[in-house]
Amino acid sequence: MGRLPELEPPPRVVDASLLAAVVLLLATGAVSLVSGRPAGAWVFDVHAVAGLATVVLLAWKLRRVRHRLRPGALDPTRLVSGLLGVVATAALATGVWWVVGGSLDLGPWGLLNLHIGLGLLVPLLLVVHLRQRFALPTRRSVTDRRNALRYAALVGSGAVVWRAQETANDLFDTAGAERRFTGSREEGSDEGNRFPVTSWVADDPDPVDRDAWSLTVDGRVEESFSLGADAVFGEESGPVGDETRPTGDEERALLDCTSGWYSEHDWQGVRVGDLLDTAGPESGARWVQFRSVTGYRWSLPLDEAGDALLATHVDGDPLTHGHGAPMRLVAPGRRGFQWVKWVESVRVTRRREVGEALAVFVSGVDG
Ligand SMILES: Nc1nc2c(c(=O)[nH]1)N[C@H]1C(S)=C(S)[C@@H](COP(=O)(O)O)O[C@H]1N2
Ligand SMILES: [Mo]
């Protein structure tokens, strides 16, 4: 470790920095889950550099307190602290592991989901830990110029390691090298339905009977209407899975799932803008909500919704059930969880429904 101890700020400053780092990591982590456009790439960079700086902070902290965490010395308070140390270490390790190309098969979840889960556990344990042990840093240590310099060095080395990692990943051509700025890796682009099926939580409906299905457009519109399978797929349409081509529109778009993969395709279907033009939104209408047969739903701002597509086909092949047949939302620039599958309703609203964020998490749980 050599000169590292000289870099080490006083204990309470380290502790306060860890708290600040956790807040920053949680905030950037949360925002990163809904960022899918390159303009938001900095959020991922801040998350990564803060994570690397936290590795050093946590190492200092654990070295300082390790004597309190000996098995013989444990009481309930220290147990929480010890658990927090383990969970925080695991959260950092899984993040780093992902970046260098690691992966993990946990049934429906993967390494990135584990990283997110561990990251969400940290604040829960931290709240308990802080109630037991919180102490503010002294005023002097906060204004001490040496501490400011130590910080610059810490964040600076985080940034350097972050850059070096990109070079190393490229050099050794690891799975980590093909990451998008969101951290996601490519899977099955331009290969029709051959990309991962991701229905998180419990959304797993029976195949939707296309002939009994219809798409309803209603809400704050001049004229509501429904389209049956005939109108969407054409009169001579057979069962789902045939080669009938859609008569409508095409859009190239990239689906980027927060579990760590992305896939880019040409999607065919019905432009949402055309549906909205037909229905005629009332003045004051601002959102469009897309709802699945399962209750899963998400809203897009009215203007943006016009450019979205309700896809029936991918790369010319009819969507499979797993990918949302007969119809799924294609929302360019939005993260995968907003691409609602098995859509049966398009509703124009004035306000966004508060419960939809919750529905995304619990939809399908009741069967
Ligand atoms: N109804 C419904 N739509 C859904 C989901 C779901 O669980 N239920 N999962 C979402 C998530 S998290 C992603 S990444 C994409 C995945 O689409 P795919 O299964 O076609 O790859 O669908 C989204 N749409
Ligand atoms: Mo996802």
Side-chain angles (χ1 to χ4, degrees), residues 198 200 255-259 261 296 335-337:
T198 308
W200 61 0
L255 196 176
D256 188 336
C257 175
T258 48
S259 69
W261 57 268
Y296 192 105
R335 296 302 291 269
F337 73 89

Side-chain angles (χ1 to χ4, degrees), residues 195-203 255-259 261 267 292-294 296-297 322-324 328 335-342 360 363:
F195 60 100
V197 166
T198 308
S199 293
W200 61 0
V201 222
D203 245 25
L255 196 176
D256 188 336
C257 175
T258 48
S259 69
W261 57 268
W267 308 85
S292 169
V293 300
T294 65
Y296 192 105
R297 51 197 183 269
H323 289 308
R328 70 103 42 88
R335 296 302 291 269
F337 73 89
Q338 293 151 317
W339 293 39
V340 183
K341 301 194 279 192
W342 313 292
V360 163
S363 153

Side-chain angles (χ1 to χ4, degrees), residues 270-277 288 290 305-310 329 346:
V270 182
R271 222 177 65 88
V272 176
D274 292 341
L275 298 175
L276 295 175
D277 288 346
V288 181
F290 300 86
D307 291 327
L309 189 81
L310 280 165
L329 179 63
V346 174

Side-chain angles (χ1 to χ4, degrees), residues 192-224:
N193 285 289
R194 259 158 283 144
F195 60 100
V197 166
T198 308
S199 293
W200 61 0
V201 222
D203 245 25
D204 184 20
D206 291 333
V208 178
D209 175 2
R210 181 155 117 186
D211 295 315
W213 165 89
S214 65
L215 178 74
T216 303
V217 181
D218 64 5
R220 299 279 176 177
V221 293
E222 309 290 340
E223 199 158 346
S224 313

Side-chain angles (χ1 to χ4, degrees), residues 48-357:
V49 172
L52 289 168
T54 309
V55 170
V56 180
L57 288 168
L58 190 62
W60 282 332
K61 167 97 190 187
L62 290 176
R63 204 183 44 179
R64 190 179 88 226
V65 302
R66 66 180 173 228
H67 66 276
R68 294 199 214 122
L69 298 177
R70 284 187 322 261
L74 285 182
D75 57 27
T77 305
R78 288 179 174 180
L79 211 60
V80 172
S81 307
L83 193 59
L84 176 57
V86 171
V87 170
T89 305
L92 290 170
T94 47
V96 171
W97 191 13
W98 175 260
V99 164
V100 298
S103 49
L104 203 61
D105 186 359
L106 303 167
W109 291 292
L111 179 54
L112 208 52
N113 299 91
L114 180 63
H115 172 65
I116 294 168
L118 290 164
L120 290 174
L121 263 182
V122 168
L124 300 181
L125 291 165
L126 190 60
V127 166
V128 181
H129 177 72
L130 287 177
R131 288 185 56 163
Q132 293 163 341
R133 304 200 52 96
F134 185 69
L136 275 175
T138 59
R139 211 201 158 89
R140 255 192 50 216
S141 63
V142 172
T143 50
D144 184 345
R145 198 187 292 145
R146 267 172 314 171
N147 286 336
L149 288 174
R150 287 168 176 147
Y151 270 95
L154 183 61
V155 174
S157 38
V160 168
V161 172
W162 179 235
R163 296 300 310 185
Q165 156 279 131
E166 287 179 348
T167 312
N169 264 325
D170 285 345
L171 216 60
F172 300 109
D173 200 18
T174 70
E178 281 132 49
R179 280 174 300 121
R180 217 179 155 229
F181 69 87
T182 58
S184 296
R185 301 173 194 154
E186 198 276 322
E187 296 256 13
S189 289
D190 295 311
E191 291 178 45
N193 285 289
R194 259 158 283 144
F195 60 100
V197 166
T198 308
S199 293
W200 61 0
V201 222
D203 245 25
D204 184 20
D206 291 333
V208 178
D209 175 2
R210 181 155 117 186
D211 295 315
W213 165 89
S214 65
L215 178 74
T216 303
V217 181
D218 64 5
R220 299 279 176 177
V221 293
E222 309 290 340
E223 199 158 346
S224 313
F225 63 92
S226 281
L227 297 176
D230 282 357
V232 173
F233 294 89
E235 291 290 344
E236 68 275 49
S237 74
V240 173
D242 72 4
E243 294 301 315
T244 312
R245 286 190 135 264
T247 40
D249 305 292
E250 176 167 283
E251 196 156 325
R252 186 163 181 83
L254 185 153
L255 196 176
D256 188 336
C257 175
T258 48
S259 69
W261 57 268
Y262 73 86
S263 198
E264 192 172 17
H265 301 268
D266 294 317
W267 308 85
Q268 296 86 16
V270 182
R271 222 177 65 88
V272 176
D274 292 341
L275 298 175
L276 295 175
D277 288 346
T278 306
E282 290 173 359
S283 63
R286 296 191 40 214
W287 293 89
V288 181
Q289 186 182 63
F290 300 86
R291 179 189 286 259
S292 169
V293 300
T294 65
Y296 192 105
R297 51 197 183 269
W298 197 261
S299 294
L300 297 178
L302 186 61
D303 289 341
E304 183 184 345
D307 291 327
L309 189 81
L310 280 165
T312 54
H313 289 63
V314 55
D315 300 327
D317 294 334
L319 284 177
T320 56
H321 166 60
H323 289 308
M327 204 171 227
R328 70 103 42 88
L329 179 63
V330 168
R334 295 280 179 165
R335 296 302 291 269
F337 73 89
Q338 293 151 317
W339 293 39
V340 183
K341 301 194 279 192
W342 313 292
V343 173
E344 62 173 2
S345 150
V346 174
R347 178 163 293 165
V348 179
T349 60
R350 283 166 183 268
R351 270 189 228 103
R352 187 175 193 177
E353 186 207 347
V354 184
E356 70 182 16

